[in-house]
């Protein structure tokens, strides 16, 4: 079976940074990615929070991360993981293009935003529809926008967005926010936030950008359109960790991978977790990249110990 010192699963900012650190440490590494190289950032229009670069498209930043890893000699293979075996000292990864094994492995498969699945959502993503207030909020100065969701994220981000927008409609499917009481009270006291209770989004409308949102009251069935040029959807995230179910890797009830915060070690010796897929307090590109560096250095220490023992 094809064997490597280190396998990195996922080629987002965490996985690609891990690859950069691995090559600079002289490790034999292969990165496996099933979708877009660069991960979630490839769908972000403008990135304005990557230190040192005032503005860059998510696509260009992803390309530069890939180029950097490949320049150092990292191989990035586009392939779908079918199953894993973490039961022995060698971690085995079965893919649609063959099986691989490794002495150490970094899980960096990321997360995805839960989507509403309504007409217009996919078409207008990056053109009014956003899943990241920090990334896209500044584009909506003095405009009327909408936040969808009632959890901590929706409420916190709605408040953050009032720095830019003239008005933020907070659309929630119930008449009570899920968010923590203190956050909820503060948001509802903000004069720029207008809650729209018991309401679901049925469509996002617009030609070149979002213009309005069709909504429906779930109690009385009433339908209307709310004008909004920005539609921020915060209805939860989902970890890309389905493939690890049954592998013995510790995950919480939703599937977020549990790793030690300092070393990023998981419960399985030689398996580390980095970036959005793990249980963490902040899911940003910069924190994912930092995780990638730390996970590789922990993997490096693990591999050095292994070498000494053999
Ligand atoms: P969340 O707690 O899962 O909340 C998701 C919200 O979206 C809920 O209000 C839910 O409605 C709504 N929702 C789900 N699916 C929907 C759909 N299809 N259509 C419309 N609405 C839908 O997600 P989150 O707010 O991203 O928070 C995730 C975790 O991070 C939570 O544990 C949260 O406490 C934590 N967090 C903490 C902080 C903080 O402490 N400062 C900040 C952010 C996040 P229902 O309420 O009706 O289910």
């Amino acid at each position: 079976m094809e064997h490597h010192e280190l396998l990195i699963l996922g080629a987002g900012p965490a996985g690609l940074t891990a690859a950069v650190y691995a090559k600079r440490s002289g490790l034999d590494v292969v990165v496996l990615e099933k979708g877009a190289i660069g991960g979630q950032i490839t769908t972000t229009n403008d990135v304005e929070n990557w230190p040192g670069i005032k503005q860059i498209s998510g696509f260009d930043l992803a390309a530069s991360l890939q180029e950097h890893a490949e320049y150092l000699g990292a191989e990035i293979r586009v392939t779908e993981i079918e199953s894993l075996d973490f039961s022995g000292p060698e971690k085995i990864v079965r893919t649609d293009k063959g099986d691989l094994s490794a002495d150490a492995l970094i899980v960096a498969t990321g997360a995805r935003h839960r989507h509403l699945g309504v007409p217009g959502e996919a078409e207008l993503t990056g053109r009014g529809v956003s899943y990241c207030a920090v990334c896209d909020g500044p584009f909506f100065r003095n405009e009327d926008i909408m936040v969808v969701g009632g959890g901590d994220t929706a409420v916190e981000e709605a408040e953050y967005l009032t720095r830019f927008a003239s008005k933020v409609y907070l659309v929630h499917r119930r008449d009570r926010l899920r968010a923590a009481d203190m956050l909820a009270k503060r948001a509802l006291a903000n004069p720029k936030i207008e809650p729209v209770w018991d309401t679901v989004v049925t469509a996002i409308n617009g030609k070149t950008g979002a213009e309005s949102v069709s909504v429906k009251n779930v109690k009385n069935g009433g339908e209307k359109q709310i004008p909004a040029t920005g539609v921020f959807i915060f209805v939860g995230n989902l970890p890309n960790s389905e493939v690890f179910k049954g592998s013995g890797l510790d995950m919480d009830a939703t599937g977020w991978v549990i790793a030690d915060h300092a070393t990023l070690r998981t419960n399985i010796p030689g398996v580390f977790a980095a970036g959005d897929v793990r249980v963490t307090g902040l899911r940003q590109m910069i924190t994912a990249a930092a995780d990638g560096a730390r996970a590789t250095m922990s993997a490096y220490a693990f591999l050095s110990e292994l070498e000494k023992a053999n």
Side-chain angles (χ1 to χ4, degrees), residues 114 116 149-153 156 172-174 178 183 234-236:
R114 185 181 280 136
L116 293 172
D152 285 338
T153 306
E156 269 194 348
H172 184 36
R173 62 185 177 183
R174 294 188 286 136
R178 175 181 291 274
L183 294 177
F234 300 115
V235 294

Side-chain angles (χ1 to χ4, degrees), residues 30-197:
V30 171
V31 184
L32 305 181
E33 168 60 56
K34 80 163 181 180
I37 295 170
Q40 288 186 84
I41 57 163
T42 54
T43 60
T44 304
N45 237 6
D46 289 299
V47 176
E48 292 184 333
N49 57 359
W50 185 255
I53 300 178
K54 288 190 212 73
Q55 192 273 333
I56 186 169
S57 75
F59 189 83
D60 287 347
L61 184 56
S64 77
L65 292 176
Q66 177 182 358
E67 193 187 327
H68 190 174
E70 288 179 336
Y71 164 78
L72 292 169
E75 185 193 340
I76 303 166
R77 213 176 278 180
V78 177
T79 180
E80 179 117 23
I81 298 167
E82 288 172 345
S83 66
L84 300 128
D85 184 350
F86 291 161
S87 60
E90 288 191 352
K91 322 301 166 221
I92 295 166
V93 181
R94 299 195 177 89
T95 81
D96 59 350
K97 293 187 183 140
D99 300 349
L100 299 98
S101 66
D103 299 315
L105 184 144
I106 296 174
V107 175
T109 46
R112 58 189 187 277
H113 302 288
R114 185 181 280 136
H115 291 184
L116 293 172
V118 297
E121 182 180 16
E123 297 84 342
L124 294 169
T125 292
R127 291 187 289 134
V129 174
S130 172
Y131 303 88
C132 178
V134 175
C135 318
D136 299 326
F139 301 120
F140 297 94
R141 274 179 213 281
N142 304 318
E143 295 183 30
D144 287 1
I145 64 170
M146 178 181 289
V147 164
V148 186
D152 285 338
T153 306
V155 166
E156 269 194 348
E157 302 303 294
E159 260 221 290
Y160 172 77
L161 288 164
T162 61
R163 294 181 191 195
F164 314 104
S166 42
K167 182 172 203 165
V168 179
Y169 294 99
L170 180 60
V171 172
H172 184 36
R173 62 185 177 183
R174 294 188 286 136
D175 61 0
R176 204 183 139 83
L177 293 171
R178 175 181 291 274
D181 207 41
M182 196 183 79
L183 294 177
K185 277 192 180 131
R186 208 172 58 200
L188 295 176
N190 188 315
K192 280 189 172 180
I193 295 179
E194 182 175 324
V196 185
W197 302 115

Side-chain angles (χ1 to χ4, degrees), residues 14 27 29 34 46-47 53 111 171 214 249 259 279 300 305:
L27 294 178
V29 61
K34 80 163 181 180
D46 289 299
V47 176
I53 300 178
V171 172
S214 302
L249 188 66
V279 174
Y300 183 81
E305 287 300 316

